[in-house]
Structure formats: structure tokens, C-alpha cells
Amino acid sequence: MPLTAASQDVTSSASPSAIPMPAPIGAEIVGIDVAAGPSQADYQFLRDALHEHSVIVLRGQDITPQQQQSFGAHFGELRTSFYNRYAVPDVPALTIVSNLRGADGELIGIADAGMLWHTDGSYLKTPDMYTVLYGIEIPHEGGQVLGDTVFASAWGAYDALPSGMQRRVDSLRAVHSFTVHLEKKQAKGQLKRAPLTEEQRKKVPDVDHPVVRTHPINGRKCLFVTEGHTSEIVGLDGAEGSELLEFLTEHVKQPQFQYRHHWKKGDLIVWDNCAVQHLAVFDYGQIPRRLHRAGISGPVPV
Ligand code: SIN
């Protein structure tokens, strides 16, 4: 029988395997039960698979927030979000991503996360290297799954650029701004959270990063400008800068670089924020959706 993800038992004690998705990035991991406590060898397998495939998917996981937090800590240092009002109670490293409201009528989580293409924490000096996202409540309608997450290969997009364009962008830097990100969302009528307080704003001053960053583990060159957070290319004023930025951010979004994830409850995904950009698809309106997210800090991009 051919090896398919569906034919594998998540609790199998056999060695884990990674089954590539029918896409340029992404692999499904079978043979690891996170609640049972993966071995050090399993974690090494997961890190290697992540660096090879850029996005890894572990289906059918039944884990507590504490188990997700401890799973995430095996990939590096967990980052506590400055939006701590949306943290999972008693599990500060997990942020709730949801459109649900509590008894007080307030949103219980971030309801507008991922509406524009982005890579997590690029507005920080040390952006998140990895993200761990766990599906708890997944919207459906008429038998169709809604609320997909789409990933695009930032290294595939760089590799596909003509060599003249690669040379042009290789030494440039660009500004990433959380403030501009919220303004972009507001301009599109997509902002669903309170504006930043002055104190929060001070915690996220604008930063600049290379337009092309080199992956610290596998050495791939990755396009590191996004529709969501990049506000300008350093030193290129006016139309020259904005046209180049638009060209690059549109280029990376093309379908040939993508893996589109259709969620199931119990899916646990880890992605590499140097290697991919991502977008959340908001096609579910008020149908409940809840995921828990952990960000893992990375190095200063070079
Ligand atoms: C995010 O971009 O962090 C959230 C992704 C999603 O909700 O699908």
C-alpha cells in the first residue's frame, strides 16, 4: 500500500516520517503523538523536517495548552506577545487567535490576525523564527472547511527572480512597521482590535531588515518583505521604492509558491518564518474559529 498520511496512526511507535504535500512546500508528519511526549530524536526529526519543508503538519493531536507550550519550547525561546490580554490564561506564551466573544461580549482573541500576507514578528529586531499554531475550533459550512491558512515559499520566490533582480535586491534593506501594519488594516476596514496604546507603541518601534535574508540553518536566500508589515525600502524614495516593494510583495504571493492548509480540529502546524510568508483566509464570518499560537524568537536577520 502506498504511504499516505491517512494510512498512518498518529500514536504509532514506529519512526516518524515526513510526507511531502503536493505543493512546493509543506510536509505531513506521521508517527508522532505530542501528548505522549516526543523523544529528543523525534524533536530532532521535526526540526530537520521543518528546515527541509518549511511547514510541517501534525494531524489528530489532542493536547493541552501547557503541552503546546512545552512542544514549542523544543524549537527555541518562546516569545510572549505584547498583546497579553489575548494570552491563554496561565499559559503566557500562547496567544488566542479567534473570532469568539466571552461572556462580557469582548473578543477573547485576536480576530484579525493574518489578514494581510506577512511573516510573524518581522516588525521586531529579532523576528519569530518559527510559529506553532494549533486548531481547536475550525469553521465549516455546507460540508466545506473554511478559514484556511495559505503559505508561500519566500525562498522559492527569491529563486524564481531573474538574476538581474536578485542582484538589485540582494543588498537592500526595508523597514517593517507594526504601526503601518495596523494602519493598512484600518484602511481596508479589517482592523478588529483596539488601536495601540502609547506604551504598546513604544515597545514596537519600526525596524529595518535585509530585503533578502539568508536562512540561518539551511542557507537558503529568502525574500523578506511583506504586504502586511513592510513600509518602505531604505534609501529608495518615491515611486522607485514603492514600485519595487509592490513588485516583490506581489511576486511572493503567486500560487506556484504556495501550500494551502485546510484545517481540521487537532492539527498542529509549525512553520519557518524565514522560509515562508502566510495569509489567513477570512471567509467564515461569525462561524466560530479558535486556534492557539506560539511564537519562537529567532536571530537578527542577515
Ligand atoms: C496568523 O497569521 O498568525 C494567524 C493565521 C491563521 O489564523 O490562520
Side-chain angles (χ1 to χ4, degrees):
M1 189 167 86
L3 185 67
T4 65
S7 68
Q8 301 294 298
D9 177 358
V10 81
T11 60
S12 157
S13 57
S15 305
S17 50
I19 302 168
M21 300 291 182
I25 46 172
E28 181 164 348
I29 305 295
V30 293
I32 291 185
D33 177 2
V34 175
S39 65
Q40 291 307 319
D42 289 338
Y43 277 113
Q44 191 55 51
F45 176 83
L46 290 172
R47 288 188 290 266
D48 290 345
L50 179 58
H51 295 136
E52 181 178 351
H53 299 285
S54 308
V55 181
I56 53 173
V57 178
L58 293 86
R59 299 265 194 195
Q61 303 294 326
D62 185 6
I63 52 171
T64 63
Q66 284 79 8
Q67 285 168 330
Q68 182 182 352
Q69 182 172 253
S70 132
F71 175 81
H74 284 83
F75 293 84
E77 190 188 328
L78 294 163
R79 174 170 72 85
T80 306
S81 168
F82 63 95
Y83 274 118
N84 39 17
R85 64 178 286 199
Y86 294 132
V88 174
D90 301 325
V91 192
L94 294 191
T95 299
I96 302 172
V97 173
S98 184
N99 57 355
L100 291 167
R101 290 180 187 272
D104 58 0
E106 296 292 325
L107 287 163
I108 62 164
I110 302 182
D112 59 10
M115 281 190 165
L116 298 168
W117 283 94
H118 68 291
T119 170
D120 290 332
S122 74
Y123 51 86
L124 301 169
K125 232 184 211 140
T126 54
D128 294 350
M129 188 65 210
Y130 312 111
T131 300
V132 179
L133 192 60
Y134 179 53
I136 294 168
E137 196 157 356
I138 305 302
H140 290 83
E141 192 171 53
Q144 199 194 331
V145 183
L146 303 172
D148 292 350
T149 308
V150 190
F151 299 91
S153 170
W155 51 272
Y158 175 81
D159 287 353
L161 286 174
S163 56
M165 179 58 88
Q166 289 181 341
R167 279 195 299 278
R168 182 172 176 209
V169 296
D170 269 346
S171 56
L172 294 175
R173 297 183 71 81
V175 177
H176 295 243
S177 168
F178 195 75
T179 309
V180 168
H181 174 66
L182 295 190
E183 285 168 7
K184 284 185 188 180
K185 273 189 178 151
Q186 192 146 35
K188 288 178 171 250
Q190 295 176 331
L191 195 66
K192 296 193 180 168
R193 57 181 115 176
L196 291 184
T197 61
E198 207 38 51
E199 197 190 329
Q200 286 171 329
R201 196 183 287 272
K202 281 193 201 133
K203 287 188 187 160
V204 280
D206 292 357
V207 292
D208 63 274
H209 294 304
V211 167
V212 179
R213 71 179 283 200
T214 302
H215 195 284
I217 308 291
N218 60 30
R220 285 173 177 151
K221 286 179 128 185
C222 305
L223 265 188
F224 201 63
V225 285
T226 70
E227 172 189 56
H229 291 97
T230 312
S231 56
E232 63 184 287
I233 303 216
V234 177
L236 293 189
D237 297 332
E240 189 187 3
S242 53
E243 279 167 22
L244 179 60
L245 185 55
E246 188 175 348
F247 168 80
L248 295 171
T249 54
E250 288 300 311
H251 172 73
V252 77
K253 291 183 202 171
Q254 294 181 84
Q256 67 266 32
F257 305 127
Q258 292 179 4
Y259 163 63
R260 182 170 179 136
H261 186 71
H262 307 298
W263 284 92
K264 283 191 193 134
K265 178 179 161 59
D267 285 353
L268 182 67
I269 301 192
V270 190
W271 67 82
D272 177 331
N273 282 299
C274 176
V276 298
Q277 300 188 11
H278 62 283
L279 176 80
V281 178
F282 282 78
D283 55 359
Y284 49 89
Q286 299 309 311
I287 306 173
R289 183 176 190 264
R290 178 176 182 149
L291 302 98
H292 288 174
R293 184 179 71 192
I296 289 104
S297 285
V300 174
V302 288

